[in-house]
Amino acid sequence: MGLVKTDEEIALLRENNQLVSRTLAEVAKHIAPGVTGLKLDKIAEQFIRDHGAVPGFLGYNGFPNTLCISINDVVIHGVPSAYELRDGDIVSVDCGTRMKGYVGDSAYTFAVGSVSESVMRLLRATKESLKLGVAQAVEGKRVGDISSAVQRYVESLGYSVVREMVGHGIGTRIHEKPDVPNFGRCGSGKKLIKGMTICVEPMINMGKRDIVQEKDGWTIRTKDRKASAHFEYAVAVGKEQPDVLTTFEYVEEVLKQKGNMI
Ligand code: MG
Ligand code: MG
């Protein structure tokens, strides 16, 4: 399959990513001190199956769960565990689906209870950098325009960008070409064409950019143990403007009700 998707393919990717969006909202309802990642994982798996899809990450390269649950200094690929969330934690929930031959992949970082103002600023900045990056997903621009929009914004605030892990194309598989780094130069990289579908997913560190992988073979955390945030949209490159396939609307409706907006 080529990088450019047909309207029918984009519709199926939208369907998957809308289900991911609604799954994240379902998870959001349950995020609170005392809740475990394993419990959130069960809720997500049930919700996905109840809606006619299967979890996209479960079994992917041997991943054992439905969600990646990445807490505090964990950047991505955290494995759900019996750890009970605590007041002041942040938790990135990354979710995938598979339905009708296509996949969904999106992520949101939540605040558990009351989180320090400095970490809240990191969350807001990372989410804003996602929006700035995605705004570049327009025909005629290049991948580097997305990358540099993310990097320039977060580095201007004193944060750092993870280099080793990047966004990606999405289609019948979770990770397709091209790579979509969160750092790079304007005007560099692959030219964007209408109908290309990509995941933009800034992983932004409060401290230094360096990461390490834990012995479990999955968990990626910051080397300096400072907090890291992660937000992800799936998006189709548009002629005039990006066609975002994910929405945070459902999640943010839940957070508003909980009085827990980031
Ligand atoms: Mg993801
Ligand atoms: Mg992804």
Side-chain angles (χ1 to χ4, degrees):
M1 176 168 54
L3 295 180
V4 173
K5 308 295 193 283
T6 64
D7 288 349
E8 289 74 19
E9 291 175 304
I10 291 172
L12 293 170
L13 285 163
R14 189 187 319 278
E15 212 178 310
N16 270 279
N17 283 287
Q18 290 289 311
L19 177 56
V20 172
S21 303
R22 286 191 288 135
T23 307
L24 290 173
E26 191 61 26
V27 169
K29 291 179 191 165
H30 295 89
I31 288 181
V35 174
T36 68
L38 281 170
K39 165 96 179 173
L40 299 176
D41 191 69
K42 280 278 157 289
I43 288 164
E45 178 170 4
Q46 195 60 52
F47 190 86
I48 289 167
R49 294 193 189 281
D50 286 349
H51 289 81
V54 294
F57 299 164
L58 185 64
Y60 183 75
N61 292 333
F63 189 76
N65 291 88
T66 293
L67 299 178
C68 294
I69 299 270
S70 303
I71 301 166
N72 296 333
D73 61 347
V74 177
V75 180
I76 53 167
H77 298 171
V79 180
S81 77
Y83 169 86
E84 294 180 358
L85 292 174
R86 290 184 204 167
D87 191 60
D89 283 346
I90 57 169
V91 54
S92 152
V93 178
D94 196 344
C95 180
T97 58
R98 170 173 294 282
M99 170 169 55
K100 301 178 187 174
Y102 286 78
V103 298
D105 179 16
S106 309
Y108 198 94
T109 302
F110 298 91
V112 183
S114 59
V115 166
S116 73
E117 188 49 37
S118 63
V119 174
M120 289 303 278
R121 278 199 294 269
L122 172 71
L123 298 188
R124 291 186 200 112
T126 305
K127 193 166 74 161
E128 179 64 16
S129 76
L130 167 63
K131 303 213 164 152
L132 293 170
V134 161
Q136 300 295 313
V138 174
E139 179 153 282
K141 300 250 186 193
R142 290 179 182 271
V143 169
D145 294 317
I146 297 173
S147 310
S148 93
V150 171
Q151 181 179 20
R152 251 184 306 153
Y153 180 70
V154 298
E155 288 186 350
S156 77
L157 298 172
Y159 303 125
S160 61
V161 176
V162 170
R163 300 293 203 274
E164 296 85 346
M165 318 301 290
V166 297
H168 50 88
I170 184 169
T172 57
R173 288 172 298 127
I174 294 173
H175 296 114
E176 297 190 351
K177 292 216 173 311
D179 281 353
V180 184
N182 299 298
F183 62 97
R185 287 192 345 268
C186 276
S188 71
K190 194 154 199 68
K191 201 166 219 173
L192 299 175
I193 301 166
K194 181 179 183 290
M196 285 172 69
T197 48
I198 55 176
C199 285
V200 181
E201 50 178 320
M203 293 155 236
I204 308 302
N205 295 352
M206 183 90 112
K208 297 209 164 64
R209 73 186 212 202
D210 310 77
I211 57 169
V212 294
Q213 187 170 44
E214 300 281 19
K215 289 199 185 67
D216 64 9
W218 288 109
T219 310
I220 303 285
R221 67 163 171 84
T222 59
K223 195 172 177 196
D224 62 12
R225 296 265 187 193
K226 291 187 179 165
S228 185
H230 173 223
F231 290 82
E232 177 177 21
Y233 269 165
V235 53
V237 172
K239 259 258 181 302
E240 312 272 308
Q241 54 190 13
D243 179 8
V244 181
L245 306 176
T246 307
T247 176
F248 290 155
E249 230 172 84
Y250 307 123
V251 162
E252 292 182 342
E253 219 166 274
V254 170
L255 296 185
K256 210 184 285 169
Q257 276 171 20
K258 290 172 77 183
N260 210 4
M261 282 293 282
I262 66 162

